[in-house]
């Protein structure tokens, strides 16, 4: 949970301050890469909600959703970039907006995740 919140804050900082300094941008991207890798933890948490006889199917569906979500985000990012380029936005503004959108979306899903069950009801 904290990984999601911290990564969203760093994405928002990258959107707000990244265009000012290349070293700061690189540092923030490194922070995102080091604290934003929560996939394994999320999968471990989610697999507790599947009964043993459905564990393989459940984890497969979750893996598909994670990968499909990444694909959708990449596609939508391409649309945002194409629209910004058509509007002749400079690259710094374009990526600042894109990183701000990433941060806002990650913050939203982190808030939703904060209210999810910690463990199954029957555990």
């Amino acid at each position: 949970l904290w990984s999601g919140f911290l990564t969203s804050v760093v994405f928002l900082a990258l959107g707000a301050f990244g265009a000012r300094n290349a070293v700061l941008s690189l540092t923030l991207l490194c922070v995102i890469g080091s604290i934003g890798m929560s996939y394994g933890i999320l999968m471990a948490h989610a697999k507790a909600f599947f009964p043993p006889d459905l564990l393989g199917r459940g984890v497969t569906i979750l893996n598909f959703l994670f990968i499909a979500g990444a694909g959708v985000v990449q596609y939508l990012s391409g649309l945002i970039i194409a629209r910004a380029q058509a509007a002749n936005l400079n690259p710094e503004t374009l990526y600042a907006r894109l990183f701000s959108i990433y941060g806002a979306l990650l913050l939203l899903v982190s808030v939703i995740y904060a209210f999810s069950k910690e463990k199954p009801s029957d555990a």
Side-chain angles (χ1 to χ4, degrees), residues 3-57:
S3 171
F5 282 123
L6 291 174
T7 305
S8 66
V9 168
V10 177
F11 264 121
L12 292 169
L14 186 59
F17 308 112
R20 297 180 187 173
N21 185 315
V23 174
L24 176 63
S25 294
L26 181 60
T27 302
L28 292 173
L29 286 169
C30 288
V31 170
I32 289 168
S34 64
I35 66 173
M37 298 303 185
S38 57
Y39 170 80
I41 295 168
L42 291 170
M43 288 295 281
H45 179 219
K47 79 178 203 176
F49 290 85
F50 294 105
D53 59 319
L54 295 177
L55 184 59
R57 291 178 190 171

Side-chain angles (χ1 to χ4, degrees), residues 100-119:
S100 296
I101 290 169
Y102 288 166
L105 289 174
L106 186 55
L107 185 60
L108 174 67
V109 297
S110 295
V111 168
I112 292 169
Y113 183 64
F115 292 99
S116 67
K117 292 182 181 182
E118 187 174 331
K119 53 188 168 184

